[in-house]
Amino acid sequence: MEIRPAVDTDFDAIWSFFQPIAAAGETYALDPGIDRANARRYWMEASKRTLVAVERDADGRETVLGSYYIKANAQGPGDHVCNCGYMVALEARGRGVAGQMCEHSLALGRELGFRAMQFNCVVSTNQGAVRLWQRHGFEIVGRLPGAFRHPREGLVDAYVMYRAL
Amino acid sequence: MEIRPAVDTDFDAIWSFFQPIAAAGETYALDPGIDRANARRYWMEASKRTLVAVERDADGRETVLGSYYIKANAQGPGDHVCNCGYMVALEARGRGVAGQMCEHSLALGRELGFRAMQFNCVVSTNQGAVRLWQRHGFEIVGRLPGAFRHPREGLVDAYVMYRAL
C-alpha cells in the first residue's frame, strides 16, 4: 500500500466510497444526499491537502483503498491545530487502511508545522473509530451530548478527540 | 437596544469592530490580518444569518453596538446543532450587549428548529466570555489543550461550550 497526493482523476474512485458513506449517515456529519460536485468541493477543496491510499497490481494498475484530507482546523491563532477526515472503501475494510492513513497524516501534520490534531465530531457509536484513534494517541477531550442524529440509534453523543504532534 | 437582521450596509459598522477584534488575536481564531472582503465573507456569508444590535438616537439614527451570526455547526446528521459568533463594539462594552445578543440567539436558534448550540473555540483566558456563556446555560464540554496562541500568554487552552435549546 502506498499513500500519495490525490490528483483530480482520483475523485471517481473516492466518490465510489464517499457517496455510500455519506448516504449511510452513521459516521460523518455530511448531507446524506450530497451530490458529486459538493462532495468534491468538500473533500478536495483548495484549503485541504488530499491523499489517497492505493495498491498496485502486477501490471501497475492502481486501486484506491481510501483517502484522507488534512487542513488547518481554524485560522490565525488556531492555525497550528490541524484536522483530518479519513474514508476507506468498503472492499478494503479490515486491512488497516485507516490506521496507516492516520499514521501518515500524523507525520504529514508534523512536516507541515502543525502542533496538534483535532477531530471535531467522532460519533460515539462508531466505536471502531474511537478505539482506533485512541490507539494512535488521541484522547477524548470533549463530549457533545446528542450532537449526532444516528439513523437507527437516534440522538447520540459525538466526541472531540485531540492529540499533540 | 434592538436586535434586527443585518443588511449589506451594516458591514461598515461591523468592520469597525471586527477589524480590531481580529487584529488583537485574543478571542477569535481568525487571521489577525484578515481583509475587509474576507471578513465580510466570514461574517455575512450565505450559510449564516447575521444580526446587529442597534440603538437609535432621538432623530432615529442608528448606532451598531454589536453583531452576531447563527448557522448550522455541521451538515446532515449534525445540522440540528447551531453555532454562533458574537462581537461587541469597543465603545459599547460593559452594557450587556453580548448577553442580550446571546439570549436573542437562543430564541432564534429554537425558532429555526435547532436543538442545541455549540461554541467550538472559547479561549480559556477570555474569562468574561466563559462566565457569560455559563450564566446563559452553556457548559464546558471539552477542553482543547494549547489550541489557541495568545499574543501574550502563548499557547492557551480553548473550550468547547454547549447547551440544549
Short mmCIF file of all heavy atoms in Angstrom, two decimals, chain A residues 94-159:
data_model
loop_
_atom_site.label_atom_id
_atom_site.label_comp_id
_atom_site.label_asym_id
_atom_site.label_seq_id
_atom_site.Cartn_x
_atom_site.Cartn_y
_atom_site.Cartn_z
N GLY A 94 -10.99 -3.55 7.18
CA GLY A 94 -10.36 -4.62 7.95
C GLY A 94 -8.92 -4.90 7.56
O GLY A 94 -8.33 -5.88 8.00
N ARG A 95 -8.34 -4.04 6.75
CA ARG A 95 -6.96 -4.27 6.31
C ARG A 95 -6.01 -3.22 6.88
O ARG A 95 -4.86 -3.10 6.45
CB ARG A 95 -6.90 -4.23 4.78
CG ARG A 95 -7.61 -5.42 4.13
CD ARG A 95 -7.61 -5.31 2.62
NE ARG A 95 -6.29 -4.99 2.07
CZ ARG A 95 -6.06 -4.70 0.80
NH1 ARG A 95 -7.05 -4.67 -0.06
NH2 ARG A 95 -4.84 -4.42 0.38
N GLY A 96 -6.50 -2.46 7.84
CA GLY A 96 -5.61 -1.49 8.48
C GLY A 96 -5.38 -0.23 7.68
O GLY A 96 -4.45 0.54 7.96
N VAL A 97 -6.22 0.02 6.67
CA VAL A 97 -6.02 1.20 5.82
C VAL A 97 -6.18 2.49 6.62
O VAL A 97 -5.36 3.41 6.50
CB VAL A 97 -7.00 1.17 4.62
CG1 VAL A 97 -6.83 2.42 3.76
CG2 VAL A 97 -6.80 -0.09 3.78
N ALA A 98 -7.21 2.55 7.46
CA ALA A 98 -7.45 3.78 8.23
C ALA A 98 -6.27 4.07 9.16
O ALA A 98 -5.81 5.21 9.28
CB ALA A 98 -8.75 3.67 9.03
N GLY A 99 -5.79 3.02 9.82
CA GLY A 99 -4.65 3.19 10.74
C GLY A 99 -3.41 3.69 10.00
O GLY A 99 -2.70 4.58 10.48
N GLN A 100 -3.17 3.13 8.83
CA GLN A 100 -1.99 3.57 8.06
C GLN A 100 -2.16 5.01 7.58
O GLN A 100 -1.20 5.78 7.58
CB GLN A 100 -1.75 2.62 6.88
CG GLN A 100 -1.11 1.31 7.32
CD GLN A 100 -0.65 0.46 6.14
OE1 GLN A 100 0.22 0.87 5.37
NE2 GLN A 100 -1.24 -0.71 6.00
N MET A 101 -3.39 5.36 7.18
CA MET A 101 -3.61 6.75 6.77
C MET A 101 -3.43 7.68 7.97
O MET A 101 -2.89 8.78 7.84
CB MET A 101 -5.00 6.92 6.14
CG MET A 101 -5.12 6.24 4.78
SD MET A 101 -6.57 6.81 3.80
CE MET A 101 -7.93 6.28 4.84
N CYS A 102 -3.89 7.23 9.14
CA CYS A 102 -3.75 8.07 10.33
C CYS A 102 -2.27 8.31 10.64
O CYS A 102 -1.86 9.45 10.86
CB CYS A 102 -4.48 7.42 11.52
SG CYS A 102 -4.43 8.45 13.00
N GLU A 103 -1.47 7.24 10.65
CA GLU A 103 -0.02 7.41 10.90
C GLU A 103 0.60 8.38 9.89
O GLU A 103 1.41 9.24 10.22
CB GLU A 103 0.70 6.06 10.82
CG GLU A 103 0.58 5.22 12.08
CD GLU A 103 0.99 5.99 13.34
OE1 GLU A 103 2.08 6.59 13.36
OE2 GLU A 103 0.20 5.99 14.31
N HIS A 104 0.21 8.19 8.63
CA HIS A 104 0.73 9.05 7.56
C HIS A 104 0.36 10.51 7.82
O HIS A 104 1.18 11.42 7.67
CB HIS A 104 0.15 8.58 6.22
CG HIS A 104 0.81 9.18 5.02
ND1 HIS A 104 0.41 10.38 4.48
CD2 HIS A 104 1.85 8.75 4.26
CE1 HIS A 104 1.17 10.66 3.43
NE2 HIS A 104 2.05 9.69 3.27
N SER A 105 -0.88 10.71 8.26
CA SER A 105 -1.35 12.09 8.48
C SER A 105 -0.65 12.72 9.68
O SER A 105 -0.41 13.94 9.69
CB SER A 105 -2.87 12.11 8.67
OG SER A 105 -3.25 11.49 9.89
N LEU A 106 -0.33 11.92 10.69
CA LEU A 106 0.38 12.46 11.85
C LEU A 106 1.77 12.95 11.42
O LEU A 106 2.21 14.04 11.81
CB LEU A 106 0.50 11.40 12.96
CG LEU A 106 -0.82 10.99 13.62
CD1 LEU A 106 -0.64 9.75 14.49
CD2 LEU A 106 -1.42 12.13 14.44
N ALA A 107 2.44 12.16 10.59
CA ALA A 107 3.76 12.55 10.09
C ALA A 107 3.64 13.79 9.19
O ALA A 107 4.42 14.73 9.31
CB ALA A 107 4.40 11.39 9.33
N LEU A 108 2.65 13.77 8.30
CA LEU A 108 2.48 14.91 7.39
C LEU A 108 2.11 16.18 8.17
O LEU A 108 2.61 17.26 7.87
CB LEU A 108 1.40 14.58 6.35
CG LEU A 108 1.07 15.67 5.33
CD1 LEU A 108 2.31 16.15 4.57
CD2 LEU A 108 -0.01 15.19 4.35
N GLY A 109 1.27 16.02 9.19
CA GLY A 109 0.88 17.17 10.01
C GLY A 109 2.11 17.80 10.65
O GLY A 109 2.27 19.03 10.63
N ARG A 110 3.00 16.96 11.19
CA ARG A 110 4.24 17.48 11.79
C ARG A 110 5.07 18.20 10.75
O ARG A 110 5.59 19.29 10.97
CB ARG A 110 5.06 16.32 12.38
CG ARG A 110 4.58 15.86 13.72
CD ARG A 110 5.46 14.74 14.30
NE ARG A 110 4.67 13.94 15.21
CZ ARG A 110 4.19 12.73 14.96
NH1 ARG A 110 4.46 12.12 13.81
NH2 ARG A 110 3.45 12.10 15.85
N GLU A 111 5.21 17.56 9.58
CA GLU A 111 6.00 18.10 8.48
C GLU A 111 5.47 19.48 8.05
O GLU A 111 6.24 20.37 7.70
CB GLU A 111 5.89 17.11 7.33
CG GLU A 111 6.96 17.18 6.28
CD GLU A 111 6.65 16.13 5.20
OE1 GLU A 111 6.53 14.92 5.54
OE2 GLU A 111 6.49 16.53 4.04
N LEU A 112 4.17 19.63 8.10
CA LEU A 112 3.55 20.89 7.69
C LEU A 112 3.61 21.94 8.81
O LEU A 112 3.14 23.06 8.64
CB LEU A 112 2.09 20.66 7.27
CG LEU A 112 1.86 19.81 6.01
CD1 LEU A 112 0.38 19.47 5.84
CD2 LEU A 112 2.40 20.52 4.77
N GLY A 113 4.14 21.54 9.97
CA GLY A 113 4.32 22.50 11.05
C GLY A 113 3.18 22.57 12.05
O GLY A 113 3.19 23.41 12.95
N PHE A 114 2.18 21.70 11.89
CA PHE A 114 1.09 21.69 12.88
C PHE A 114 1.60 21.12 14.20
O PHE A 114 2.51 20.29 14.24
CB PHE A 114 -0.08 20.84 12.36
CG PHE A 114 -0.82 21.46 11.21
CD1 PHE A 114 -0.76 20.89 9.94
CD2 PHE A 114 -1.55 22.62 11.37
CE1 PHE A 114 -1.44 21.45 8.86
CE2 PHE A 114 -2.23 23.21 10.31
CZ PHE A 114 -2.17 22.61 9.05
N ARG A 115 0.98 21.57 15.29
CA ARG A 115 1.44 21.13 16.61
C ARG A 115 0.43 20.24 17.32
O ARG A 115 0.71 19.70 18.39
CB ARG A 115 1.75 22.36 17.47
CG ARG A 115 2.92 23.12 16.83
CD ARG A 115 3.22 24.41 17.52
NE ARG A 115 3.65 24.24 18.89
CZ ARG A 115 4.16 25.21 19.63
NH1 ARG A 115 4.31 26.41 19.11
NH2 ARG A 115 4.51 25.00 20.88
N ALA A 116 -0.74 20.10 16.75
CA ALA A 116 -1.75 19.21 17.32
C ALA A 116 -2.72 18.82 16.21
O ALA A 116 -2.76 19.46 15.16
CB ALA A 116 -2.49 19.89 18.47
N MET A 117 -3.46 17.74 16.46
CA MET A 117 -4.50 17.32 15.51
C MET A 117 -5.80 17.14 16.27
O MET A 117 -5.81 16.63 17.39
CB MET A 117 -4.10 16.01 14.83
CG MET A 117 -5.05 15.62 13.68
SD MET A 117 -4.60 14.05 12.86
CE MET A 117 -3.10 14.52 11.98
N GLN A 118 -6.89 17.61 15.67
CA GLN A 118 -8.19 17.60 16.34
C GLN A 118 -9.24 16.99 15.42
O GLN A 118 -9.32 17.33 14.25
CB GLN A 118 -8.58 19.05 16.70
CG GLN A 118 -9.91 19.17 17.42
CD GLN A 118 -10.20 20.60 17.85
OE1 GLN A 118 -9.28 21.38 18.10
NE2 GLN A 118 -11.46 20.95 17.95
N PHE A 119 -10.04 16.07 15.97
CA PHE A 119 -11.23 15.57 15.28
C PHE A 119 -12.44 16.19 15.97
O PHE A 119 -12.60 16.06 17.18
CB PHE A 119 -11.31 14.04 15.35
CG PHE A 119 -10.12 13.32 14.76
CD1 PHE A 119 -9.70 12.10 15.27
CD2 PHE A 119 -9.41 13.86 13.69
CE1 PHE A 119 -8.61 11.42 14.74
CE2 PHE A 119 -8.31 13.19 13.14
CZ PHE A 119 -7.91 11.97 13.67
N ASN A 120 -13.28 16.85 15.20
CA ASN A 120 -14.35 17.65 15.80
C ASN A 120 -15.61 16.88 16.10
O ASN A 120 -16.42 17.32 16.91
CB ASN A 120 -14.69 18.82 14.86
CG ASN A 120 -13.51 19.74 14.66
OD1 ASN A 120 -12.99 20.29 15.63
ND2 ASN A 120 -13.05 19.88 13.43
N CYS A 121 -15.81 15.74 15.44
CA CYS A 121 -17.10 15.07 15.57
C CYS A 121 -16.93 13.57 15.30
O CYS A 121 -17.25 13.08 14.22
CB CYS A 121 -18.10 15.70 14.59
SG CYS A 121 -19.76 15.02 14.69
N VAL A 122 -16.42 12.85 16.30
CA VAL A 122 -16.30 11.39 16.18
C VAL A 122 -17.55 10.81 16.82
O VAL A 122 -17.80 10.99 18.02
CB VAL A 122 -15.04 10.87 16.90
CG1 VAL A 122 -14.92 9.35 16.74
CG2 VAL A 122 -13.78 11.57 16.38
N VAL A 123 -18.37 10.14 16.02
CA VAL A 123 -19.66 9.66 16.51
C VAL A 123 -19.42 8.55 17.53
O VAL A 123 -18.67 7.60 17.28
CB VAL A 123 -20.53 9.18 15.33
CG1 VAL A 123 -21.91 8.77 15.82
CG2 VAL A 123 -20.64 10.28 14.28
N SER A 124 -20.05 8.69 18.69
CA SER A 124 -19.75 7.77 19.81
C SER A 124 -20.10 6.33 19.49
O SER A 124 -19.48 5.40 20.02
CB SER A 124 -20.48 8.23 21.08
OG SER A 124 -21.89 8.26 20.84
N THR A 125 -21.10 6.11 18.62
CA THR A 125 -21.46 4.73 18.26
C THR A 125 -20.45 4.10 17.31
O THR A 125 -20.47 2.89 17.11
CB THR A 125 -22.84 4.72 17.58
OG1 THR A 125 -22.87 5.74 16.57
CG2 THR A 125 -23.96 4.98 18.58
N ASN A 126 -19.58 4.90 16.73
CA ASN A 126 -18.55 4.41 15.81
C ASN A 126 -17.34 3.95 16.63
O ASN A 126 -16.25 4.50 16.57
CB ASN A 126 -18.18 5.53 14.84
CG ASN A 126 -17.32 5.06 13.68
OD1 ASN A 126 -17.05 3.87 13.52
ND2 ASN A 126 -16.88 6.01 12.86
N GLN A 127 -17.58 2.89 17.42
CA GLN A 127 -16.60 2.50 18.43
C GLN A 127 -15.27 2.03 17.84
O GLN A 127 -14.22 2.21 18.45
CB GLN A 127 -17.19 1.41 19.33
CG GLN A 127 -18.26 1.99 20.26
CD GLN A 127 -18.92 0.90 21.11
OE1 GLN A 127 -18.38 -0.18 21.29
NE2 GLN A 127 -20.09 1.23 21.64
N GLY A 128 -15.35 1.45 16.66
CA GLY A 128 -14.11 1.04 16.00
C GLY A 128 -13.21 2.23 15.75
O GLY A 128 -12.01 2.18 16.01
N ALA A 129 -13.81 3.32 15.30
CA ALA A 129 -13.03 4.53 15.03
C ALA A 129 -12.50 5.12 16.33
O ALA A 129 -11.32 5.48 16.43
CB ALA A 129 -13.88 5.56 14.29
N VAL A 130 -13.35 5.19 17.35
CA VAL A 130 -12.91 5.76 18.64
C VAL A 130 -11.68 5.00 19.16
O VAL A 130 -10.67 5.61 19.53
CB VAL A 130 -14.05 5.73 19.68
CG1 VAL A 130 -13.56 6.19 21.05
CG2 VAL A 130 -15.23 6.59 19.22
N ARG A 131 -11.78 3.67 19.13
CA ARG A 131 -10.65 2.86 19.62
C ARG A 131 -9.41 3.02 18.75
O ARG A 131 -8.29 3.08 19.25
CB ARG A 131 -11.06 1.39 19.70
CG ARG A 131 -11.82 1.05 20.99
CD ARG A 131 -11.90 -0.45 21.20
NE ARG A 131 -12.59 -1.09 20.08
CZ ARG A 131 -13.89 -1.41 20.10
NH1 ARG A 131 -14.62 -1.17 21.17
NH2 ARG A 131 -14.45 -1.98 19.05
N LEU A 132 -9.65 3.08 17.44
CA LEU A 132 -8.51 3.24 16.52
C LEU A 132 -7.77 4.55 16.80
O LEU A 132 -6.55 4.58 16.92
CB LEU A 132 -9.00 3.20 15.07
CG LEU A 132 -7.93 3.31 13.99
CD1 LEU A 132 -6.98 2.11 14.05
CD2 LEU A 132 -8.56 3.41 12.60
N TRP A 133 -8.52 5.63 16.94
CA TRP A 133 -7.86 6.92 17.20
C TRP A 133 -7.17 6.89 18.56
O TRP A 133 -6.08 7.44 18.72
CB TRP A 133 -8.84 8.09 17.11
CG TRP A 133 -9.67 8.17 15.85
CD1 TRP A 133 -10.96 8.57 15.74
CD2 TRP A 133 -9.25 7.85 14.50
NE1 TRP A 133 -11.38 8.50 14.43
CE2 TRP A 133 -10.36 8.06 13.65
CE3 TRP A 133 -8.06 7.38 13.92
CZ2 TRP A 133 -10.30 7.84 12.26
CZ3 TRP A 133 -8.01 7.16 12.54
CH2 TRP A 133 -9.12 7.39 11.74
N GLN A 134 -7.78 6.24 19.53
CA GLN A 134 -7.13 6.14 20.84
C GLN A 134 -5.80 5.38 20.72
O GLN A 134 -4.80 5.79 21.30
CB GLN A 134 -8.05 5.46 21.86
CG GLN A 134 -9.18 6.41 22.32
CD GLN A 134 -10.22 5.73 23.19
OE1 GLN A 134 -10.53 4.55 22.99
NE2 GLN A 134 -10.80 6.47 24.13
N ARG A 135 -5.80 4.31 19.94
CA ARG A 135 -4.55 3.57 19.74
C ARG A 135 -3.50 4.43 19.07
O ARG A 135 -2.30 4.20 19.24
CB ARG A 135 -4.79 2.32 18.88
CG ARG A 135 -5.35 1.14 19.64
CD ARG A 135 -5.06 -0.18 18.90
NE ARG A 135 -5.65 -0.24 17.57
CZ ARG A 135 -6.92 -0.61 17.32
NH1 ARG A 135 -7.73 -0.92 18.31
NH2 ARG A 135 -7.35 -0.65 16.08
N HIS A 136 -3.95 5.43 18.32
CA HIS A 136 -2.99 6.31 17.64
C HIS A 136 -2.72 7.58 18.45
O HIS A 136 -2.26 8.59 17.92
CB HIS A 136 -3.47 6.63 16.23
CG HIS A 136 -3.33 5.44 15.30
ND1 HIS A 136 -2.16 5.15 14.65
CD2 HIS A 136 -4.18 4.44 14.99
CE1 HIS A 136 -2.31 4.05 13.94
NE2 HIS A 136 -3.54 3.59 14.13
N GLY A 137 -3.05 7.53 19.75
CA GLY A 137 -2.62 8.60 20.64
C GLY A 137 -3.63 9.70 20.89
O GLY A 137 -3.32 10.68 21.58
N PHE A 138 -4.81 9.56 20.33
CA PHE A 138 -5.83 10.59 20.55
C PHE A 138 -6.57 10.35 21.86
O PHE A 138 -6.83 9.21 22.24
CB PHE A 138 -6.85 10.60 19.40
CG PHE A 138 -6.30 11.16 18.13
CD1 PHE A 138 -5.54 10.37 17.27
CD2 PHE A 138 -6.51 12.49 17.80
CE1 PHE A 138 -5.00 10.89 16.11
CE2 PHE A 138 -5.99 13.02 16.63
CZ PHE A 138 -5.23 12.22 15.78
N GLU A 139 -6.93 11.46 22.50
CA GLU A 139 -7.76 11.39 23.69
C GLU A 139 -9.11 12.03 23.41
O GLU A 139 -9.20 12.98 22.64
CB GLU A 139 -7.11 12.19 24.82
CG GLU A 139 -6.02 11.43 25.54
CD GLU A 139 -5.47 12.30 26.65
OE1 GLU A 139 -6.16 12.45 27.69
OE2 GLU A 139 -4.36 12.83 26.47
N ILE A 140 -10.13 11.50 24.08
CA ILE A 140 -11.43 12.17 24.06
C ILE A 140 -11.32 13.38 24.97
O ILE A 140 -11.16 13.24 26.17
CB ILE A 140 -12.55 11.22 24.55
CG1 ILE A 140 -12.72 10.05 23.56
CG2 ILE A 140 -13.87 11.97 24.71
CD1 ILE A 140 -13.70 8.97 24.02
N VAL A 141 -11.36 14.59 24.39
CA VAL A 141 -11.24 15.80 25.22
C VAL A 141 -12.58 16.52 25.35
O VAL A 141 -12.69 17.52 26.06
CB VAL A 141 -10.18 16.78 24.66
CG1 VAL A 141 -8.79 16.14 24.69
CG2 VAL A 141 -10.53 17.25 23.25
N GLY A 142 -13.57 16.04 24.64
CA GLY A 142 -14.88 16.67 24.73
C GLY A 142 -15.98 15.69 24.36
O GLY A 142 -15.76 14.76 23.59
N ARG A 143 -17.15 15.92 24.94
CA ARG A 143 -18.32 15.08 24.64
C ARG A 143 -19.47 16.02 24.32
O ARG A 143 -19.85 16.85 25.14
CB ARG A 143 -18.67 14.22 25.85
CG ARG A 143 -19.69 13.12 25.56
CD ARG A 143 -20.02 12.33 26.83
NE ARG A 143 -20.66 13.17 27.83
CZ ARG A 143 -21.97 13.46 27.84
NH1 ARG A 143 -22.76 12.95 26.94
NH2 ARG A 143 -22.47 14.25 28.77
N LEU A 144 -20.02 15.88 23.12
CA LEU A 144 -21.12 16.74 22.66
C LEU A 144 -22.41 15.94 22.79
O LEU A 144 -22.66 15.02 22.00
CB LEU A 144 -20.88 17.13 21.20
CG LEU A 144 -19.47 17.71 20.90
CD1 LEU A 144 -19.22 17.83 19.40
CD2 LEU A 144 -19.30 19.07 21.58
N PRO A 145 -23.24 16.29 23.79
CA PRO A 145 -24.41 15.45 24.08
C PRO A 145 -25.47 15.50 22.97
O PRO A 145 -25.97 16.57 22.64
CB PRO A 145 -24.98 16.06 25.37
CG PRO A 145 -24.01 17.11 25.82
CD PRO A 145 -23.15 17.46 24.66
N GLY A 146 -25.73 14.36 22.38
CA GLY A 146 -26.79 14.27 21.36
C GLY A 146 -26.52 15.08 20.11
O GLY A 146 -27.45 15.48 19.40
N ALA A 147 -25.24 15.28 19.80
CA ALA A 147 -24.91 16.17 18.67
C ALA A 147 -25.03 15.49 17.31
O ALA A 147 -24.86 16.12 16.28
CB ALA A 147 -23.50 16.74 18.85
N PHE A 148 -25.34 14.19 17.30
CA PHE A 148 -25.40 13.45 16.02
C PHE A 148 -26.68 12.64 15.97
O PHE A 148 -27.01 11.91 16.90
CB PHE A 148 -24.17 12.52 15.92
CG PHE A 148 -23.94 11.97 14.53
CD1 PHE A 148 -23.16 12.65 13.62
CD2 PHE A 148 -24.51 10.75 14.14
CE1 PHE A 148 -22.94 12.14 12.35
CE2 PHE A 148 -24.30 10.24 12.87
CZ PHE A 148 -23.51 10.93 11.96
N ARG A 149 -27.43 12.78 14.89
CA ARG A 149 -28.67 12.01 14.69
C ARG A 149 -28.34 10.71 13.95
O ARG A 149 -28.19 10.73 12.72
CB ARG A 149 -29.70 12.80 13.88
CG ARG A 149 -30.19 14.08 14.54
CD ARG A 149 -31.42 14.65 13.85
NE ARG A 149 -31.29 14.77 12.41
CZ ARG A 149 -30.64 15.76 11.79
NH1 ARG A 149 -30.03 16.71 12.48
NH2 ARG A 149 -30.61 15.79 10.48
N HIS A 150 -28.24 9.64 14.68
CA HIS A 150 -27.92 8.35 14.06
C HIS A 150 -29.20 7.77 13.45
O HIS A 150 -30.27 7.85 14.06
CB HIS A 150 -27.35 7.41 15.13
CG HIS A 150 -26.76 6.18 14.57
ND1 HIS A 150 -27.51 5.09 14.19
CD2 HIS A 150 -25.47 5.84 14.31
CE1 HIS A 150 -26.71 4.14 13.74
NE2 HIS A 150 -25.46 4.58 13.80
N PRO A 151 -29.10 7.17 12.26
CA PRO A 151 -30.33 6.70 11.59
C PRO A 151 -31.09 5.64 12.38
O PRO A 151 -32.30 5.53 12.23
CB PRO A 151 -29.81 6.15 10.25
CG PRO A 151 -28.34 5.99 10.39
CD PRO A 151 -27.90 6.99 11.43
N ARG A 152 -30.42 4.85 13.21
CA ARG A 152 -31.13 3.84 13.99
C ARG A 152 -31.14 4.15 15.49
O ARG A 152 -32.10 3.89 16.18
CB ARG A 152 -30.52 2.44 13.79
CG ARG A 152 -30.78 1.86 12.40
CD ARG A 152 -30.15 0.49 12.24
NE ARG A 152 -28.73 0.49 12.61
CZ ARG A 152 -27.75 0.92 11.83
NH1 ARG A 152 -28.03 1.41 10.62
NH2 ARG A 152 -26.50 0.91 12.23
N GLU A 153 -30.07 4.76 15.99
CA GLU A 153 -29.94 4.98 17.43
C GLU A 153 -30.55 6.32 17.88
O GLU A 153 -30.63 6.58 19.08
CB GLU A 153 -28.45 4.98 17.84
CG GLU A 153 -27.62 3.84 17.27
CD GLU A 153 -27.74 2.59 18.12
OE1 GLU A 153 -28.00 2.72 19.33
OE2 GLU A 153 -27.57 1.47 17.57
N GLY A 154 -30.92 7.15 16.95
CA GLY A 154 -31.43 8.48 17.32
C GLY A 154 -30.30 9.41 17.72
O GLY A 154 -29.17 9.27 17.21
N LEU A 155 -30.58 10.33 18.64
CA LEU A 155 -29.56 11.31 19.03
C LEU A 155 -28.47 10.63 19.85
O LEU A 155 -28.74 10.10 20.93
CB LEU A 155 -30.19 12.44 19.85
CG LEU A 155 -31.07 13.44 19.10
CD1 LEU A 155 -31.62 14.48 20.08
CD2 LEU A 155 -30.30 14.13 17.98
N VAL A 156 -27.26 10.65 19.35
CA VAL A 156 -26.14 10.05 20.07
C VAL A 156 -25.06 11.11 20.27
O VAL A 156 -25.02 12.13 19.58
CB VAL A 156 -25.55 8.82 19.33
CG1 VAL A 156 -26.61 7.72 19.18
CG2 VAL A 156 -24.98 9.21 17.97
N ASP A 157 -24.21 10.87 21.25
CA ASP A 157 -23.13 11.83 21.54
C ASP A 157 -22.05 11.77 20.45
O ASP A 157 -21.88 10.76 19.77
CB ASP A 157 -22.47 11.50 22.89
CG ASP A 157 -23.44 11.65 24.05
OD1 ASP A 157 -24.54 12.21 23.84
OD2 ASP A 157 -23.10 11.20 25.15
N ALA A 158 -21.35 12.86 20.33
CA ALA A 158 -20.15 12.88 19.48
C ALA A 158 -18.98 13.32 20.36
O ALA A 158 -19.17 14.04 21.34
CB ALA A 158 -20.34 13.82 18.31
N TYR A 159 -17.80 12.84 20.02
CA TYR A 159 -16.61 13.18 20.79
C TYR A 159 -15.73 14.15 20.01
O TYR A 159 -15.64 14.08 18.79
CB TYR A 159 -15.77 11.93 21.08
CG TYR A 159 -16.48 10.89 21.90
CD1 TYR A 159 -16.44 9.55 21.51
CD2 TYR A 159 -17.17 11.23 23.06
CE1 TYR A 159 -17.08 8.58 22.27
CE2 TYR A 159 -17.82 10.26 23.81
CZ TYR A 159 -17.77 8.93 23.41
OH TYR A 159 -18.41 7.98 24.14
#
